[in-house]
Amino acid sequence: MFDRIREKLNILADAAKYDVSCSSSGGTRKNDNKGLGNSHTSGICHTYTEDGRCVSLLKILLTNHCIYDCLFCVSRKSNDIKRAAFTVDEVVELTMNFYRRNYIEGLFLSSGIFKNADFTMERLLLVVKKLRLEQNYNGYIHLKTIPGASDELIKEAGLYADRMSINLEMPTEAGLKLLAPEKSHADVIKPLDFVQKQITQFSADKKLIKHIPKFVPAGQSTQMVIGATPESDKDIMYTANAFYNNFSLKRVYYSGYVPISNDTRMPILGTQPPLLRENRLYQTDWLMRFYGFKVQEILNDANPNLDIDIDPKLSWAIRNMQHFPVDINTADYKMILRIPGIGVMSAKKIVQARKFGKLRIDQLKKIGVAYNRAKHFIICLDSPYQLKDYQGTQIKAFILAESKSKYLKTDNNQMILF
Amino acid sequence: MTINNYNITSADIKPVYIIMTYIFDGSLQGLLTAVFEYFERKPGETMLKSTEMFQPQAFAESFTVITDATKADRVWAGLQKKLKKEWLRKFYCSYLSEVSEAYNHLFQFSIYIFKHAAGAESNYGNEHVIALSKYAKSVEREKHRMEAFIRFQKTGDGIFYAGIDPDFNVLPLISNHFKNRYADQQWVIYDLKRKYGLHYNLTSVEEITISFTNGINKQNPASILMDESEALYATLWKDYFKSANIVARKNTKLHVQHVPKRYWKYLTEKEIL
Ligand code: SF4
């Protein structure tokens, strides 16, 4: 019994780990019924894997049996691997016992498709219902929507899950068709759209009737695999942007493709996953969501791919030197946000602090501005007088020279945000 | 006048600038009382030190603050009037850092706040404002880490136990989080460094002290007392931690940055099998 459950967990956690979404944020479920658990609005990472990714959810497949044969997926039908399936009770017990020990924030449950979409979705639904209704479990639940499942099942699942997601897999329809001929973006768009409409409907009803149940309170997300097919960064981010806008997604995840087969339509085994590129895409995503950038400003026909050697914010600034230098003591908050070396927190502090008097270099440093980077783009009270205007390319050379030693020492796959 | 062959003229003798030192007992009430006394006595430039840290110095005058609940309450009420919740929290967190310089910054910050019009706390150009933000940030980070890294073990009598030794005194800050989350199980979180803990008994959280038998491993207090399912779930969790890793993405530096080595002793998944 002990060994059996260990083996299942090993197989079904291993198969689920390529879904990068770890977020447990955005939940608002309270522990009102004196049961177990609640969700923390900002989410908690309980530990980190040795590759540095946050672990906050027990991320498993219900089964890795699958009737499909998507080339990029370890669980594909034609792959010769061990198969396993949890029972509903096994998943419930694991979740409860991990949660009680403060190992996890909740459950991330996905599945290969066995028999058909509805049969699979029904099993997933059984797990979440049992947790919520029998165990009084109020911890976080992220549930995968199974493409092709009926609206009724999806709607019912949405009453118990905090977040639902369904993966685009490849950034473009053409890319998807290449690796998974049986799938299409339309299969993903339909349930995304359906859930989004339900969310809107429920929150409209909530304004009229107080005791309406929550429906997917933490919203929806999706994931794209990067580097398995030859899309440009522009293709990827334009798709992401469209999905953020059309379906109010909470997050889009970019997952650098980790080779799992020797099929020549994709990078073969042993190829390094494109981790730096993945990092640049996340930075762009942040610029769009928190820094007020339009995707077209960062990526366009003249610049279809992101710079690898510098981050996209610096890259934009260097291409747009006509906006700089910015006077820290008078500029708009929006413009201060765009200065390389200044993050959201520092920008807010600057706007507050300058009401008490004009700011100097040492104060900016204390506030948390990365001054060595920012100095090329700003003027403050005691900025040294600059004799000549530097070109963007020269500034890039300065910054690269300065951060060279640091840059070389950090591993390529480290996440550095501005 | 000649001393040790040095000639000292009257021009060399500058007036000694005497700084007043207030000494308090280390309690929050004591600290607030000190602020009260400052405005009562108007001693000029003043430093605050706790009894523990105080060493008498030449050219310094000192005054011992006697903790007084009424005076402390009045100062706290005054701060409540001038500061938003967020800043009262920063104030409290800085106090819980137990760093001796933080006590003085809190003292100076209070004086600064009372001497200025409302809103003075958002002056990030002021050294005490910045200092409090920094202390509060470290303490909040430690709080957050404890909420993440505490691992309960289920004991034979059904209580979920965790022993910790946080850098700062964060038990008061994490109490509510665990109470709300684990409302249907009894738990104990014990600060081994400060020798006190919290016990949730299904209704309320009580402060407790435990006397450990000599030689017991407090982090992991007695495998004999554990619930029989404990080993199973600890093993499954360790397995899970290993399976979730993607070897092709290995990044030890980032891993250690997120989970500094000093926390590894808490983590079930870091125990050697
Ligand atoms: S349907 Fe899902 S589980 Fe099945 S092969 Fe495709 S991606 Fe993998």
Side-chain angles (χ1 to χ4, degrees):
Chain A
M1 156 68 201
F2 194 123
D3 288 339
R4 186 80 193 93
I5 188 91
R6 274 185 83 175
E7 192 188 12
K8 281 190 190 183
L9 181 61
N10 286 342
I11 294 172
L12 295 169
D14 194 78
K17 71 183 172 193
Y18 297 98
D19 205 309
V20 287
S21 156
C22 76
S23 169
S24 56
S25 62
T28 53
R29 213 168 283 274
K30 290 206 181 75
N31 193 358
D32 292 333
N33 53 0
K34 257 212 148 187
L36 177 69
N38 54 7
S39 48
H40 199 276
T41 28
S42 56
I44 298 179
C45 289
H46 282 269
T47 190
Y48 291 82
T49 56
E50 278 163 20
D51 54 58
R53 286 170 308 128
C54 157
V55 178
S56 88
L57 305 173
L58 168 63
K59 193 188 292 180
I60 47 176
L61 300 187
L62 188 59
T63 178
N64 64 341
H65 289 284
C66 191
I67 55 173
Y68 286 93
D69 203 32
C70 311
L71 218 52
F72 49 84
C73 175
V74 269
S75 303
R76 67 188 180 279
K77 187 172 63 187
S78 63
N79 202 15
D80 182 20
I81 47 160
K82 270 197 176 172
R83 306 280 168 172
F86 278 124
T87 64
V88 168
D89 284 331
E90 282 168 343
V91 177
V92 170
E93 281 297 299
L94 264 178
T95 309
M96 291 299 286
N97 276 288
F98 277 12
Y99 199 93
R100 289 197 182 287
R101 287 167 177 76
N102 205 41
Y103 295 165
I104 54 169
E105 284 296 289
L107 173 67
F108 180 123
L109 188 60
S110 175
S111 185
I113 300 174
F114 51 112
K115 280 196 185 159
N116 57 52
D118 269 355
F119 189 83
T120 310
M121 195 72 208
E122 261 167 32
R123 290 289 165 300
L124 296 181
L125 183 59
L126 274 180
V127 172
V128 291
K129 277 176 89 168
K130 199 154 194 169
L131 279 168
R132 293 280 191 239
L133 304 177
E134 285 177 28
Q135 304 283 330
N136 280 333
Y137 168 83
N138 299 310
Y140 196 83
I141 297 180
H142 179 152
L143 198 64
K144 278 267 140 169
T145 312
I146 301 296
S150 68
D151 285 356
E152 292 72 56
L153 288 173
I154 293 177
K155 188 169 172 185
E156 193 175 3
L159 293 172
Y160 304 107
D162 292 289
R163 170 165 291 178
M164 293 182 78
S165 69
I166 182 161
N167 289 348
L168 277 169
E169 311 294 8
M170 297 301 145
T172 58
E173 183 76 29
L176 186 65
K177 277 275 173 290
L178 189 66
L179 304 183
E182 302 153 297
K183 290 190 163 180
S184 82
H185 271 184
D187 302 340
V188 175
I189 290 172
K190 186 179 160 271
L192 272 178
D193 187 48
F194 176 71
V195 172
Q196 182 47 39
K197 292 212 168 90
Q198 294 295 321
I199 293 176
T200 321
Q201 180 64 44
F202 268 79
S203 58
D205 290 351
K206 197 159 185 76
K207 287 195 189 105
L208 301 172
I209 316 159
K210 252 252 145 86
H211 291 288
I212 214 122
K214 288 183 195 308
F215 189 86
V216 198
Q220 300 192 91
S221 65
T222 192
Q223 166 172 310
M224 288 186 260
V225 176
I226 303 310
T229 43
E231 284 94 355
S232 68
D233 292 340
K234 175 177 165 246
D235 294 335
I236 296 167
M237 294 315 298
Y238 278 44
T239 299
N241 188 53
F243 277 79
Y244 273 125
N245 291 339
N246 298 342
F247 307 105
S248 317
L249 293 190
K250 283 293 182 305
R251 288 294 301 271
V252 173
Y253 292 93
Y254 312 89
S255 172
Y257 177 67
V258 181
I260 46 148
S261 100
N262 270 330
D263 192 291
T264 48
R265 278 169 284 179
M266 293 179 301
I268 54 168
L269 281 175
T271 317
Q272 268 299 306
L275 298 176
L276 188 54
R277 183 174 179 207
E278 185 187 295
N279 183 8
R280 294 283 179 249
L281 292 168
Y282 275 114
Q283 289 176 322
T284 308
D285 186 277
W286 279 62
L287 289 180
M288 285 158 43
R289 290 190 300 139
F290 304 116
Y291 287 78
F293 282 88
K294 290 217 169 61
V295 68
Q296 296 81 354
E297 293 180 277
I298 306 169
L299 289 160
N300 42 51
D301 288 335
N303 306 281
N305 284 301
L306 298 165
D307 280 326
I308 285 298
D309 54 353
I310 53 172
D311 69 69
K313 191 179 182 191
L314 181 57
S315 184
W316 174 84
I318 284 170
R319 290 201 308 261
N320 291 281
M321 287 308 287
Q322 72 276 15
H323 296 301
F324 298 101
V326 167
D327 187 338
I328 286 290
N329 286 305
T330 56
D332 251 26
Y333 172 70
K334 277 191 195 147
M335 201 53 221
I336 290 181
L337 263 186
R338 291 186 167 228
I339 302 167
I342 298 184
V344 175
M345 290 301 277
S346 304
K348 282 190 180 146
K349 282 183 180 161
I350 287 170
V351 178
Q352 292 204 340
R354 69 186 182 187
K355 291 183 201 147
F356 297 87
K358 292 202 180 237
L359 298 173
R360 299 180 311 266
I361 296 171
D362 65 305
Q363 287 171 311
L364 291 179
K365 286 181 181 166
K366 280 203 181 122
I367 280 172
V369 171
Y371 184 73
N372 275 337
R373 173 167 293 224
K375 70 179 175 200
H376 305 287
F377 304 96
I378 61 170
I379 307 173
C380 61
L381 190 59
D382 54 349
S383 285
Y385 180 65
Q386 288 258 343
L387 269 182
K388 59 177 188 179
D389 277 342
Y390 284 112
Q391 297 293 315
T393 44
Q394 286 169 295
I395 292 176
K396 176 171 165 179
F398 289 147
I399 291 179
L400 277 180
E402 225 159 48
S403 57
K404 204 75 194 173
S405 50
K406 214 166 73 188
Y407 178 73
L408 286 179
K409 264 187 262 148
T410 38
D411 299 314
N412 281 354
N413 42 4
Q414 198 164 334
M415 180 84 174
I416 303 163
L417 286 165
F418 327 116
Chain B
M1 176 170 80
T2 310
I3 306 168
N4 295 342
N5 299 328
Y6 289 106
N7 289 320
I8 294 180
T9 64
S10 62
D12 289 326
I13 302 174
K14 299 195 180 91
V16 181
Y17 185 53
I18 296 183
I19 295 184
M20 179 60 147
T21 304
Y22 272 20
I23 307 155
F24 82 119
D25 60 5
S27 70
L28 182 57
Q29 280 198 335
L31 195 152
L32 294 168
T33 311
V35 177
F36 186 94
E37 299 295 354
Y38 173 87
F39 283 100
E40 191 81 345
R41 290 157 197 273
K42 306 196 171 60
E45 193 180 341
T46 305
M47 289 266 296
L48 181 72
K49 287 194 169 157
S50 67
T51 327
E52 260 175 66
M53 299 310 299
F54 178 66
Q55 284 168 341
Q57 278 174 333
F59 309 120
E61 248 187 79
S62 67
F63 167 77
T64 304
V65 174
I66 309 211
T67 301
D68 180 316
T70 325
K71 292 177 182 170
D73 283 350
R74 278 181 58 186
V75 172
W76 187 246
L79 286 173
Q80 278 177 318
K81 261 187 220 134
K82 298 209 76 160
L83 297 175
K84 290 211 189 76
K85 254 202 178 147
E86 172 205 351
W87 269 96
L88 293 169
R89 167 101 183 175
K90 284 187 188 173
F91 190 95
Y92 184 48
C93 286
S94 302
Y95 169 73
L96 292 176
S97 74
E98 299 175 329
V99 177
S100 52
E101 296 84 56
Y103 295 149
N104 185 48
H105 278 296
L106 283 165
F107 179 70
Q108 309 297 349
F109 174 82
S110 309
I111 294 169
Y112 166 75
I113 288 298
F114 285 124
K115 283 187 177 168
H116 289 83
E121 71 280 5
S122 45
N123 180 8
Y124 285 95
N126 177 292
E127 61 166 320
H128 308 300
V129 170
I130 285 277
L132 258 66
S133 306
K134 292 217 164 112
Y135 289 122
K137 203 170 156 198
S138 315
V139 172
E140 296 279 17
R141 192 202 289 133
E142 187 75 351
K143 169 207 179 255
H144 202 73
R145 280 183 167 151
M146 287 302 130
E147 289 175 353
F149 297 154
I150 275 177
R151 298 286 179 265
F152 288 119
Q153 293 175 288
K154 192 179 183 188
T155 62
D157 43 14
I159 296 177
F160 287 80
Y161 172 88
I164 60 173
D165 59 350
D167 290 351
F168 311 114
N169 182 18
V170 293
L171 279 188
L173 299 175
I174 63 178
S175 174
N176 267 337
H177 169 78
F178 284 96
K179 179 173 173 242
N180 294 336
R181 176 162 289 197
Y182 297 105
D184 73 342
Q185 70 189 39
Q186 284 206 49
W187 51 260
V188 167
I189 300 172
Y190 205 75
D191 185 334
L192 300 163
K193 203 188 271 174
R194 293 166 190 84
K195 297 195 173 48
Y196 81 106
L198 304 173
H199 172 218
Y200 171 70
N201 56 19
L202 298 180
T203 352
S204 59
V205 180
E206 316 269 339
E207 233 178 85
I208 54 161
T209 54
I210 304 180
S211 41
F212 289 97
T213 338
N214 274 341
I216 209 161
N217 176 352
K218 295 170 187 161
Q219 200 80 53
N220 197 342
S223 30
I224 22 166
L225 287 180
M226 285 304 152
D227 183 86
E228 47 191 44
S229 67
E230 187 49 41
L232 167 66
Y233 288 108
T235 308
L236 287 173
W237 175 244
K238 285 181 221 175
D239 286 350
Y240 176 72
F241 181 70
K242 263 194 265 150
S243 317
N245 188 37
I246 298 177
V247 181
R249 300 179 60 118
K250 188 173 170 67
N251 186 346
T252 310
K253 200 178 152 194
L254 188 58
H255 172 66
V256 175
Q257 192 180 311
H258 285 307
V259 194
K261 286 196 172 145
R262 67 200 152 100
Y263 298 99
W264 288 16
K265 59 176 179 283
Y266 296 123
L267 303 174
T268 315
E269 62 272 23
K270 285 286 179 193
E271 281 167 17
I272 295 141
L273 279 168

